[in-house]
Amino acid sequence: MNPIEGFDNAFLASNKQLKSSYRSLTSNNLKSIEQFLKEAQEILVKYPTPNEKVKLCVKKCFEVVLQKYPLFFGYWKKYAAITLQLYGAEEQTKVLKKSVQRFPTSLELWQDYLTVLKEGSTFTPEIKKQFDTAASLIGNHFMSEPFWDLYISFITESITNSEEKDELLQQIYEKVTSIPLYSYAKFYK
């Protein structure tokens, strides 16, 4: 997948740095990867209202890197932010879902994904299933307290049936209090 393929000579001439950084991209040189993605982001500064071809170019730049390095969670976060800017929340959610599929043990990516799912939504079995999946993959992490806060917040804010809410919260608190978390004491209150 070549992100600069299909552009006319005028675009390539005015974006020589992107073309150059793509050509010098090497898998064993982190600086070349950073430079390449920096140039891709600069395209959006240069073209504040990009056409579909430019949007696709930036998207492909991130996909080229993340295909090879799915554990670079910081680049996933940048890619998700840029996708929101270019395509909207629905596409951002797809990128975040892909990020947790490719890097399933990333605490930060799960938090971002679940935060986006939680925003403005009501309780659904599908969203709860995502929280349960995250709990099984990252819930035992020593620093997973923000995830558990998010899960508790989701249950508290989205379930209206108090019996169901109390039952789910009790299950979560029983689980959380059995995990050696950095901030475990706050869950005992």
Side-chain angles (χ1 to χ4, degrees), residues 11-41:
F11 177 83
L12 295 174
S14 66
N15 294 289
K16 290 178 186 170
Q17 298 87 352
L18 179 65
K19 186 177 177 181
S20 170
S21 64
Y22 178 68
R23 286 196 175 139
S24 64
L25 187 62
T26 57
S27 61
N28 61 352
N29 185 343
L30 186 57
K31 287 187 182 205
S32 74
I33 295 168
E34 287 180 19
Q35 184 63 36
F36 174 59
L37 292 179
K38 180 183 173 206
E39 295 299 336
Q41 292 174 73

Side-chain angles (χ1 to χ4, degrees), residues 3 15 22 41 46 52 72 86-87 100 106 130 138 152-153 166 177:
N15 294 289
Y22 178 68
Q41 292 174 73
K46 191 172 187 176
E52 285 305 313
F72 283 5
L86 296 177
Y87 298 103
V100 296
S106 172
Q130 293 299 314
I138 61 165
I152 291 166
S153 164
D166 291 344
T177 55

Side-chain angles (χ1 to χ4, degrees), residues 142-178:
F142 184 63
M143 301 297 285
S144 65
E145 175 223 341
F147 159 73
W148 290 109
D149 285 338
L150 185 64
Y151 198 174
I152 291 166
S153 164
F154 169 68
I155 297 298
T156 304
E157 295 169 8
S158 64
I159 297 181
T160 54
N161 179 327
S162 62
E163 274 185 40
E164 183 182 11
K165 182 188 298 188
D166 291 344
E167 184 180 323
L168 287 171
L169 287 173
Q170 181 177 352
Q171 290 172 5
I172 291 170
Y173 280 115
E174 285 175 2
K175 170 84 171 145
V176 171
T177 55
S178 70

Side-chain angles (χ1 to χ4, degrees), residues 71-170:
L71 304 184
F72 283 5
F73 72 93
Y75 292 135
W76 280 112
K77 291 171 74 79
K78 285 181 184 178
Y79 182 31
I82 286 171
T83 302
L84 175 63
Q85 175 188 350
L86 296 177
Y87 298 103
E90 189 175 325
E91 289 300 313
Q92 178 197 33
T93 304
K94 290 177 185 176
V95 167
L96 289 168
K97 182 177 184 176
K98 187 176 181 179
S99 76
V100 296
Q101 289 169 342
R102 300 287 317 280
F103 188 6
T105 57
S106 172
L107 184 60
E108 288 191 36
L109 292 176
W110 272 108
Q111 285 175 215
D112 288 354
Y113 177 51
L114 294 171
T115 298
V116 167
L117 285 180
K118 178 184 170 267
E119 287 177 4
S121 66
T122 57
F123 181 85
T124 65
E126 294 82 24
I127 295 176
K128 183 179 181 309
K129 184 179 177 184
Q130 293 299 314
F131 273 96
D132 291 340
T133 300
S136 70
L137 293 167
I138 61 165
N140 291 330
H141 190 287
F142 184 63
M143 301 297 285
S144 65
E145 175 223 341
F147 159 73
W148 290 109
D149 285 338
L150 185 64
Y151 198 174
I152 291 166
S153 164
F154 169 68
I155 297 298
T156 304
E157 295 169 8
S158 64
I159 297 181
T160 54
N161 179 327
S162 62
E163 274 185 40
E164 183 182 11
K165 182 188 298 188
D166 291 344
E167 184 180 323
L168 287 171
L169 287 173
Q170 181 177 352

